[in-house]
Amino acid sequence: MKIEMVDLKGQYKKIKSEIDQAMIDCVESAEFINGKLVTTFADNLAKYVGVKHVIPCANGTDALQIALMALDLKPGDEVIVPAFTYVATAEVIALLNLVPVMVDVMPDDFSINLEQVKKSITPKTKAIVPVHLFGQCAGMEELLQIAKENSIYIVEDTAQAIGAKYIYKDGSIHQAGTMGAIGTTSFFPSKNLGCYGDGGAIFTNNDALAIRIKMMANHGQAKKYQHDVIGVNSRLDTLQAAILDIKLQHLDEYCSARNRAADYYDSGLASIEGLIIPKRVGNSTHVFHQYTMKVMNGKRDALKSYLQECGIPSMVYYPIPLHFQKAYQSERFPIGSLPVSEKLCEEVLSLPIHTEMTTEMQDFIIDSIKKFFNN
Ligand SMILES: *Cc1c(COP(=O)(O)O)cnc(C)c1O
């Protein structure tokens, strides 16, 4: 029994005939760039997530960059981001000569700390980029309220949470990436909806923003050879769109498989002292891009090594908070200034979770963890 963090080979085998045919059709059509399937997939994804416009692009980092470019911010404008996330979120802000303003996250569900967001708002704050980390939505309803009161844009980083559903107080349901002004996602192979290379997309319900986003992603081109703004070249290959259009039809199954695996971990691990299983919040579903536990009492690295000896991979997402990274260090955020993010980097451990997990694998992982804790 070989256990992997993700099993893309096993997942491919199950849909091999569909995927192979789609790839052959695409190659035979020779529509490699901007083929019909790119639009078909974008339309299907828009229907799936419930958003008016989906603009495909080359990867999730580009999606974030193009989203911010479309907002027409000025150099020096501030964008609030959580310090406990993947670097891409802060990177694009800095690249556009904007200022990433880091805030802490909640210790239990890893979502952006709303009180700190409020305190960090200045006249220069123009956007907030919440990250729906590990597959569960941040506190969007309150965040949208804060943004509205301060005329700030929200750009949701939905790279890890495609398909997660957020429930408003009035009972209405909105998918991750469709609530803020703009949402961005990634189709990196290991993401919940992954292609066989790089890919990404941008979501918006705003017609004017959709036009600007399309233009930004296509050399700032309003009409052929008419460039109104400085843009970038960021496209989703037709071949990737063909693959994604098939995998989209399986996304609900994939989410269910991940949730079954998470529930199974929960029941096996909940009673272990010194281990905290992922918190499920009441107002969001979880799509378990990662199953991320907290290992208390300084035992995280020892547990990781022990599991490795047992042949079980595990990962630390993320080992270093953004404000500790050389490229993003700033006097504004000294060591100790974002204590929750700093502590989480020492406590979190993500277990293998994917669409092909078996109970045999999970029993072995759970038993090994129990052995480590002498449980
Ligand atoms: C994966 C990821 C990205 C970047 O996506 P790429 O397609 O790799 O550029 C951005 N933000 C988060 C939170 C991610 O997990």
Side-chain angles (χ1 to χ4, degrees), residues 59-62 64 85-86 88-89 131 133 157 159-160 186-188 191 198-199 289 318:
N59 58 68
T61 308
D62 273 10
L64 282 163
T85 182
Y86 183 58
T89 325
V131 181
L133 202 67
D157 184 343
Q160 301 188 3
S186 163
F187 306 124
F188 187 83
K191 297 278 154 83
D198 273 311
H289 176 59
Y318 295 90

PDB file of all heavy atoms in Angstrom, residues 59-62 64 85-86 88-89 131 133 157 159-160 186-188 191 198-199 289 318, ligand 1:
ATOM      1  N   ASN A  59      -2.781  30.855 -14.666  1.00  0.00           N
ATOM      2  CA  ASN A  59      -2.549  30.213 -13.360  1.00  0.00           C
ATOM      3  C   ASN A  59      -3.209  31.049 -12.264  1.00  0.00           C
ATOM      4  O   ASN A  59      -3.691  32.161 -12.527  1.00  0.00           O
ATOM      5  CB  ASN A  59      -1.048  30.025 -13.089  1.00  0.00           C
ATOM      6  CG  ASN A  59      -0.291  31.338 -13.136  1.00  0.00           C
ATOM      7  OD1 ASN A  59      -0.466  32.199 -12.287  1.00  0.00           O
ATOM      8  ND2 ASN A  59       0.536  31.492 -14.175  1.00  0.00           N
ATOM      9  N   GLY A  60      -3.200  30.538 -11.055  1.00  0.00           N
ATOM     10  CA  GLY A  60      -3.882  31.216  -9.950  1.00  0.00           C
ATOM     11  C   GLY A  60      -3.187  32.487  -9.503  1.00  0.00           C
ATOM     12  O   GLY A  60      -3.834  33.419  -8.994  1.00  0.00           O
ATOM     13  N   THR A  61      -1.875  32.542  -9.682  1.00  0.00           N
ATOM     14  CA  THR A  61      -1.131  33.754  -9.322  1.00  0.00           C
ATOM     15  C   THR A  61      -1.472  34.874 -10.300  1.00  0.00           C
ATOM     16  O   THR A  61      -1.736  36.010  -9.892  1.00  0.00           O
ATOM     17  CB  THR A  61       0.387  33.468  -9.334  1.00  0.00           C
ATOM     18  OG1 THR A  61       0.632  32.310  -8.528  1.00  0.00           O
ATOM     19  CG2 THR A  61       1.173  34.639  -8.784  1.00  0.00           C
ATOM     20  N   ASP A  62      -1.492  34.551 -11.581  1.00  0.00           N
ATOM     21  CA  ASP A  62      -1.922  35.527 -12.597  1.00  0.00           C
ATOM     22  C   ASP A  62      -3.340  36.001 -12.299  1.00  0.00           C
ATOM     23  O   ASP A  62      -3.648  37.182 -12.462  1.00  0.00           O
ATOM     24  CB  ASP A  62      -1.928  34.883 -13.995  1.00  0.00           C
ATOM     25  CG  ASP A  62      -0.572  34.982 -14.682  1.00  0.00           C
ATOM     26  OD1 ASP A  62       0.408  35.374 -14.013  1.00  0.00           O
ATOM     27  OD2 ASP A  62      -0.505  34.669 -15.889  1.00  0.00           O
ATOM     28  N   LEU A  64      -4.837  36.386  -9.503  1.00  0.00           N
ATOM     29  CA  LEU A  64      -4.772  37.404  -8.448  1.00  0.00           C
ATOM     30  C   LEU A  64      -4.213  38.721  -8.993  1.00  0.00           C
ATOM     31  O   LEU A  64      -4.718  39.797  -8.705  1.00  0.00           O
ATOM     32  CB  LEU A  64      -3.870  36.918  -7.308  1.00  0.00           C
ATOM     33  CG  LEU A  64      -4.471  35.905  -6.330  1.00  0.00           C
ATOM     34  CD1 LEU A  64      -3.371  35.214  -5.549  1.00  0.00           C
ATOM     35  CD2 LEU A  64      -5.444  36.600  -5.375  1.00  0.00           C
ATOM     36  N   THR A  85      -0.642  32.181   4.753  1.00  0.00           N
ATOM     37  CA  THR A  85      -1.179  31.766   3.455  1.00  0.00           C
ATOM     38  C   THR A  85      -0.022  31.453   2.520  1.00  0.00           C
ATOM     39  O   THR A  85       1.150  31.586   2.900  1.00  0.00           O
ATOM     40  CB  THR A  85      -2.061  32.872   2.829  1.00  0.00           C
ATOM     41  OG1 THR A  85      -2.612  32.405   1.580  1.00  0.00           O
ATOM     42  CG2 THR A  85      -1.259  34.137   2.531  1.00  0.00           C
ATOM     43  N   TYR A  86      -0.352  31.068   1.305  1.00  0.00           N
ATOM     44  CA  TYR A  86       0.657  30.845   0.278  1.00  0.00           C
ATOM     45  C   TYR A  86       1.171  32.199  -0.200  1.00  0.00           C
ATOM     46  O   TYR A  86       0.435  33.180  -0.229  1.00  0.00           O
ATOM     47  CB  TYR A  86       0.029  30.046  -0.878  1.00  0.00           C
ATOM     48  CG  TYR A  86       1.010  29.692  -1.956  1.00  0.00           C
ATOM     49  CD1 TYR A  86       2.153  28.955  -1.657  1.00  0.00           C
ATOM     50  CD2 TYR A  86       0.811  30.092  -3.265  1.00  0.00           C
ATOM     51  CE1 TYR A  86       3.068  28.643  -2.637  1.00  0.00           C
ATOM     52  CE2 TYR A  86       1.718  29.773  -4.253  1.00  0.00           C
ATOM     53  CZ  TYR A  86       2.844  29.051  -3.931  1.00  0.00           C
ATOM     54  OH  TYR A  86       3.743  28.744  -4.901  1.00  0.00           O
ATOM     55  N   ALA A  88       1.830  33.587  -2.988  1.00  0.00           N
ATOM     56  CA  ALA A  88       1.296  34.242  -4.198  1.00  0.00           C
ATOM     57  C   ALA A  88       0.416  35.433  -3.858  1.00  0.00           C
ATOM     58  O   ALA A  88       0.430  36.453  -4.553  1.00  0.00           O
ATOM     59  CB  ALA A  88       0.502  33.233  -5.025  1.00  0.00           C
ATOM     60  N   THR A  89      -0.348  35.295  -2.797  1.00  0.00           N
ATOM     61  CA  THR A  89      -1.296  36.337  -2.421  1.00  0.00           C
ATOM     62  C   THR A  89      -0.586  37.677  -2.198  1.00  0.00           C
ATOM     63  O   THR A  89      -1.030  38.711  -2.684  1.00  0.00           O
ATOM     64  CB  THR A  89      -2.064  35.906  -1.147  1.00  0.00           C
ATOM     65  OG1 THR A  89      -2.271  34.490  -1.181  1.00  0.00           O
ATOM     66  CG2 THR A  89      -3.390  36.599  -1.054  1.00  0.00           C
ATOM     67  N   VAL A 131      -8.333  34.672   2.086  1.00  0.00           N
ATOM     68  CA  VAL A 131      -7.992  33.386   1.470  1.00  0.00           C
ATOM     69  C   VAL A 131      -8.887  32.326   2.120  1.00  0.00           C
ATOM     70  O   VAL A 131      -8.943  32.238   3.349  1.00  0.00           O
ATOM     71  CB  VAL A 131      -6.505  33.044   1.720  1.00  0.00           C
ATOM     72  CG1 VAL A 131      -6.145  31.721   1.067  1.00  0.00           C
ATOM     73  CG2 VAL A 131      -5.612  34.169   1.214  1.00  0.00           C
ATOM     74  N   LEU A 133      -8.741  29.368   3.131  1.00  0.00           N
ATOM     75  CA  LEU A 133      -7.616  28.456   3.303  1.00  0.00           C
ATOM     76  C   LEU A 133      -8.056  27.010   3.573  1.00  0.00           C
ATOM     77  O   LEU A 133      -8.954  26.771   4.377  1.00  0.00           O
ATOM     78  CB  LEU A 133      -6.732  28.958   4.448  1.00  0.00           C
ATOM     79  CG  LEU A 133      -5.294  28.465   4.427  1.00  0.00           C
ATOM     80  CD1 LEU A 133      -4.529  29.021   3.238  1.00  0.00           C
ATOM     81  CD2 LEU A 133      -4.577  28.819   5.724  1.00  0.00           C
ATOM     82  N   ASP A 157      -9.383  34.913  -2.659  1.00  0.00           N
ATOM     83  CA  ASP A 157      -8.458  33.899  -3.177  1.00  0.00           C
ATOM     84  C   ASP A 157      -9.079  32.526  -2.908  1.00  0.00           C
ATOM     85  O   ASP A 157      -9.052  32.004  -1.795  1.00  0.00           O
ATOM     86  CB  ASP A 157      -7.092  34.025  -2.500  1.00  0.00           C
ATOM     87  CG  ASP A 157      -6.068  33.053  -3.071  1.00  0.00           C
ATOM     88  OD1 ASP A 157      -6.483  32.076  -3.737  1.00  0.00           O
ATOM     89  OD2 ASP A 157      -4.861  33.247  -2.844  1.00  0.00           O
ATOM     90  N   ALA A 159      -8.287  29.678  -4.496  1.00  0.00           N
ATOM     91  CA  ALA A 159      -7.453  28.621  -5.088  1.00  0.00           C
ATOM     92  C   ALA A 159      -7.650  27.272  -4.388  1.00  0.00           C
ATOM     93  O   ALA A 159      -7.518  26.222  -5.010  1.00  0.00           O
ATOM     94  CB  ALA A 159      -5.986  29.030  -5.037  1.00  0.00           C
ATOM     95  N   GLN A 160      -7.982  27.304  -3.093  1.00  0.00           N
ATOM     96  CA  GLN A 160      -8.079  26.046  -2.346  1.00  0.00           C
ATOM     97  C   GLN A 160      -9.525  25.653  -2.042  1.00  0.00           C
ATOM     98  O   GLN A 160      -9.750  24.651  -1.375  1.00  0.00           O
ATOM     99  CB  GLN A 160      -7.302  26.177  -1.022  1.00  0.00           C
ATOM    100  CG  GLN A 160      -5.834  26.509  -1.247  1.00  0.00           C
ATOM    101  CD  GLN A 160      -5.005  26.457   0.023  1.00  0.00           C
ATOM    102  OE1 GLN A 160      -5.500  26.120   1.103  1.00  0.00           O
ATOM    103  NE2 GLN A 160      -3.728  26.776  -0.095  1.00  0.00           N
ATOM    104  N   SER A 186      -7.210  28.644  -8.908  1.00  0.00           N
ATOM    105  CA  SER A 186      -6.089  27.989  -9.572  1.00  0.00           C
ATOM    106  C   SER A 186      -6.495  26.575  -9.974  1.00  0.00           C
ATOM    107  O   SER A 186      -7.232  25.909  -9.241  1.00  0.00           O
ATOM    108  CB  SER A 186      -4.906  27.909  -8.593  1.00  0.00           C
ATOM    109  OG  SER A 186      -3.955  26.964  -9.033  1.00  0.00           O
ATOM    110  N   PHE A 187      -6.013  26.149 -11.134  1.00  0.00           N
ATOM    111  CA  PHE A 187      -6.221  24.757 -11.573  1.00  0.00           C
ATOM    112  C   PHE A 187      -4.917  23.977 -11.531  1.00  0.00           C
ATOM    113  O   PHE A 187      -4.720  23.028 -12.298  1.00  0.00           O
ATOM    114  CB  PHE A 187      -6.829  24.722 -12.977  1.00  0.00           C
ATOM    115  CG  PHE A 187      -8.093  25.526 -13.121  1.00  0.00           C
ATOM    116  CD1 PHE A 187      -8.198  26.524 -14.085  1.00  0.00           C
ATOM    117  CD2 PHE A 187      -9.185  25.298 -12.296  1.00  0.00           C
ATOM    118  CE1 PHE A 187      -9.357  27.274 -14.231  1.00  0.00           C
ATOM    119  CE2 PHE A 187     -10.354  26.045 -12.423  1.00  0.00           C
ATOM    120  CZ  PHE A 187     -10.438  27.038 -13.395  1.00  0.00           C
ATOM    121  N   PHE A 188      -3.993  24.393 -10.678  1.00  0.00           N
ATOM    122  CA  PHE A 188      -2.751  23.623 -10.445  1.00  0.00           C
ATOM    123  C   PHE A 188      -3.151  22.159 -10.236  1.00  0.00           C
ATOM    124  O   PHE A 188      -4.183  21.887  -9.624  1.00  0.00           O
ATOM    125  CB  PHE A 188      -2.065  24.209  -9.195  1.00  0.00           C
ATOM    126  CG  PHE A 188      -0.713  23.651  -8.899  1.00  0.00           C
ATOM    127  CD1 PHE A 188       0.409  24.151  -9.551  1.00  0.00           C
ATOM    128  CD2 PHE A 188      -0.552  22.627  -7.977  1.00  0.00           C
ATOM    129  CE1 PHE A 188       1.665  23.629  -9.285  1.00  0.00           C
ATOM    130  CE2 PHE A 188       0.703  22.108  -7.704  1.00  0.00           C
ATOM    131  CZ  PHE A 188       1.819  22.607  -8.363  1.00  0.00           C
ATOM    132  N   LYS A 191      -4.767  20.945  -7.020  1.00  0.00           N
ATOM    133  CA  LYS A 191      -5.923  21.666  -6.467  1.00  0.00           C
ATOM    134  C   LYS A 191      -7.182  20.809  -6.644  1.00  0.00           C
ATOM    135  O   LYS A 191      -7.185  19.851  -7.410  1.00  0.00           O
ATOM    136  CB  LYS A 191      -6.073  23.025  -7.160  1.00  0.00           C
ATOM    137  CG  LYS A 191      -4.878  23.961  -6.921  1.00  0.00           C
ATOM    138  CD  LYS A 191      -4.944  24.699  -5.590  1.00  0.00           C
ATOM    139  CE  LYS A 191      -3.596  25.108  -5.052  1.00  0.00           C
ATOM    140  NZ  LYS A 191      -3.038  26.340  -5.559  1.00  0.00           N
ATOM    141  N   ASP A 198      -0.563  24.134 -15.811  1.00  0.00           N
ATOM    142  CA  ASP A 198      -1.001  25.325 -15.094  1.00  0.00           C
ATOM    143  C   ASP A 198      -2.318  25.839 -15.653  1.00  0.00           C
ATOM    144  O   ASP A 198      -2.601  25.703 -16.844  1.00  0.00           O
ATOM    145  CB  ASP A 198       0.060  26.433 -15.233  1.00  0.00           C
ATOM    146  CG  ASP A 198       1.139  26.345 -14.161  1.00  0.00           C
ATOM    147  OD1 ASP A 198       0.769  26.228 -12.964  1.00  0.00           O
ATOM    148  OD2 ASP A 198       2.329  26.374 -14.501  1.00  0.00           O
ATOM    149  N   GLY A 199      -3.093  26.455 -14.782  1.00  0.00           N
ATOM    150  CA  GLY A 199      -4.339  27.071 -15.209  1.00  0.00           C
ATOM    151  C   GLY A 199      -4.930  27.881 -14.075  1.00  0.00           C
ATOM    152  O   GLY A 199      -4.572  27.678 -12.911  1.00  0.00           O
ATOM    153  N   HIS A 289      -9.412  20.815   0.725  1.00  0.00           N
ATOM    154  CA  HIS A 289      -8.196  20.810  -0.091  1.00  0.00           C
ATOM    155  C   HIS A 289      -7.052  20.231   0.748  1.00  0.00           C
ATOM    156  O   HIS A 289      -6.233  19.462   0.247  1.00  0.00           O
ATOM    157  CB  HIS A 289      -7.864  22.217  -0.560  1.00  0.00           C
ATOM    158  CG  HIS A 289      -6.584  22.292  -1.313  1.00  0.00           C
ATOM    159  ND1 HIS A 289      -6.366  21.563  -2.463  1.00  0.00           N
ATOM    160  CD2 HIS A 289      -5.433  22.963  -1.082  1.00  0.00           C
ATOM    161  CE1 HIS A 289      -5.140  21.804  -2.903  1.00  0.00           C
ATOM    162  NE2 HIS A 289      -4.552  22.633  -2.087  1.00  0.00           N
ATOM    163  N   TYR A 318       1.605  26.221   6.470  1.00  0.00           N
ATOM    164  CA  TYR A 318       2.842  26.688   5.863  1.00  0.00           C
ATOM    165  C   TYR A 318       3.882  26.804   6.955  1.00  0.00           C
ATOM    166  O   TYR A 318       3.533  27.165   8.075  1.00  0.00           O
ATOM    167  CB  TYR A 318       2.591  28.029   5.173  1.00  0.00           C
ATOM    168  CG  TYR A 318       1.613  27.836   4.006  1.00  0.00           C
ATOM    169  CD1 TYR A 318       0.251  27.960   4.194  1.00  0.00           C
ATOM    170  CD2 TYR A 318       2.087  27.452   2.752  1.00  0.00           C
ATOM    171  CE1 TYR A 318      -0.629  27.735   3.146  1.00  0.00           C
ATOM    172  CE2 TYR A 318       1.199  27.246   1.693  1.00  0.00           C
ATOM    173  CZ  TYR A 318      -0.157  27.378   1.907  1.00  0.00           C
ATOM    174  OH  TYR A 318      -1.046  27.138   0.886  1.00  0.00           O
TER     175      TYR A 318
HETATM  176  C1  LIG B   1      -2.161  27.473  -5.328  1.00  0.00           C
HETATM  177  C2  LIG B   1      -2.445  28.796  -4.745  1.00  0.00           C
HETATM  178  C3  LIG B   1      -2.237  29.987  -5.451  1.00  0.00           C
HETATM  179  C4  LIG B   1      -1.498  30.070  -6.751  1.00  0.00           C
HETATM  180  O1  LIG B   1      -1.948  29.277  -7.763  1.00  0.00           O
HETATM  181  P1  LIG B   1      -0.953  28.912  -9.004  1.00  0.00           P
HETATM  182  O2  LIG B   1      -1.897  28.351 -10.011  1.00  0.00           O
HETATM  183  O3  LIG B   1       0.025  27.941  -8.498  1.00  0.00           O
HETATM  184  O4  LIG B   1      -0.335  30.182  -9.458  1.00  0.00           O
HETATM  185  C5  LIG B   1      -2.627  31.172  -4.866  1.00  0.00           C
HETATM  186  N1  LIG B   1      -3.178  31.201  -3.641  1.00  0.00           N
HETATM  187  C6  LIG B   1      -3.376  30.086  -2.914  1.00  0.00           C
HETATM  188  C7  LIG B   1      -3.989  30.198  -1.572  1.00  0.00           C
HETATM  189  C8  LIG B   1      -3.008  28.844  -3.437  1.00  0.00           C
HETATM  190  O5  LIG B   1      -3.193  27.743  -2.701  1.00  0.00           O
END
